[in-house]
Amino acid sequence: MRMTAFRALALQVATHAVNGAADPRGEILRAVERVAGRLAGARAWYGPELRLVVLPEYVLTGFPMGESVAEWLAKAALAPDGAEYALLGEVAAGHSVFLAGNAYESDPHFPGLYFQASFILGPDGGVVLRYRRLHSMFSPTPYDVWDEYLDIYGIEAVFPVAVTEIGNLACVASEEILYPELARVLALRGAEVFCHSTSEIAAPGLTQKAVARRARAVENLAYVVSANSGGLDGLPIPRDSTNGGSELIDYEGRALAQAASGESIVASAELDLAALRRARRRPGMSNLPARVKTALWAQEYARHPVEQPNGLAETAPDRSWFARRQREIIDRLYGPADPTP
């Protein structure tokens, strides 16, 4: 039965990085156990109205710091049909929730690469959505092997929206909330709730991502459920560098609930789909999705080549390649740097 209202939670839990772990695979399984314990507590606290839980970005592993693509693939990437997803599916099924999260993921079609994947597991334990991040500074993306990726998966897998009993769900990974095009495409495909797994700086004032969350909600008349880390351990940076500020934003850009620092279930609120759908069907200046000139922008965007596809089709990825690509793009956009101070 399709619901018109339900409770969502941005589950703010700590991340334990596996970079220096003697047994990184064992650490990943222990992270799954931690998530399971925190979610069980949240479900007991909020009861059966809790239907959507969003986890922070790369909550099982942390992120690479100096590891090559091959090293991180071996150390931290999950197989799409691997034991970790199966265990998380059991957690979702055990509590009758949709569980959204984010992980580094291998792909048998691209054995030398990993992708950063956002996922949603359903109350039956199965994967209802898998989205591979398209914007990343130092990680491979589907766009880097674009032609082959489309041949294998098709465009529907690039911009997935899951039609579920709790509405139309989509995933946006971390800094991708800063890219309005991605959220707009997902909204045009029907997305009503953006599940935003992030790992970011929290601050008393509005950060860039906090501003972007409100903008994406208003632009698309959509809810944003954003889960940040509750601290990052195991790396040579202060643990509070990514800590706190998980929040739920409604379709008018208002914060429904926000968490402070540390592990927390405070960022939780009811999402009213009936109200959102009424807003989307109401003519007026604030109905921005109904006023978008898609053909105009598609034509103009085509005139400005920036990051191009297939960059890794025949190239082994390393950090220097990603940095060199961006420098070349900057020079193309703005001209070579002035050598004089």
Side-chain angles (χ1 to χ4, degrees), residues 147-161:
D147 290 345
E148 187 176 358
Y149 198 91
L150 284 182
D151 286 344
I152 295 168
Y153 292 109
I155 195 65
E156 298 302 316
V158 177
F159 301 114
V161 175

Side-chain angles (χ1 to χ4, degrees), residues 4 23 55 85 89 93 100 112 131 134 186 188 203 262 281 335:
T4 58
D23 178 18
L55 301 174
Y85 280 123
Y131 162 73
L134 293 166
L186 294 171
L188 289 171
R281 297 190 65 84

Side-chain angles (χ1 to χ4, degrees), residues 10-35:
L11 182 57
Q12 192 166 284
V13 295
T15 297
H16 295 250
V18 303
N19 304 66
D23 178 18
R25 292 291 161 177
E27 287 297 328
I28 291 172
L29 293 178
R30 283 186 280 276
V32 173
E33 292 176 358
R34 284 194 299 273
V35 166

Side-chain angles (χ1 to χ4, degrees), residues 171-247:
C171 288
V172 177
S174 191
E175 69 165 346
E176 287 197 307
I177 201 71
L178 300 173
Y179 292 86
E181 299 87 351
L182 175 61
R184 177 53 53 79
V185 165
L186 294 171
L188 289 171
R189 287 172 168 263
E192 298 172 313
V193 180
F194 296 132
C195 301
H196 181 227
S197 295
T198 188
S199 182
E200 64 184 69
I201 298 167
L206 288 175
T207 63
Q208 290 181 351
K209 289 184 182 179
V211 171
R213 281 189 283 274
R214 286 148 180 79
R216 302 299 84 83
V218 171
E219 291 165 353
N220 299 294
L221 290 178
Y223 285 105
V224 179
V225 182
S226 179
N228 192 23
S229 170
L232 175 61
D233 297 309
L235 289 176
I237 58 175
R239 78 179 308 272
D240 287 345
S241 297
T242 61
N243 190 353
S246 297
E247 59 183 359

Side-chain angles (χ1 to χ4, degrees), residues 109-113 115 140-152 308-318 321-322 325:
H109 300 289
F110 301 95
L113 303 179
F115 300 109
T141 77
Y143 199 60
D144 296 323
V145 287
W146 188 237
D147 290 345
E148 187 176 358
Y149 198 91
L150 284 182
D151 286 344
I152 295 168
Q308 297 299 291
N310 298 310
L312 292 178
E314 298 179 0
T315 303
D318 58 42
W321 180 85
F322 292 105
R325 175 178 64 176

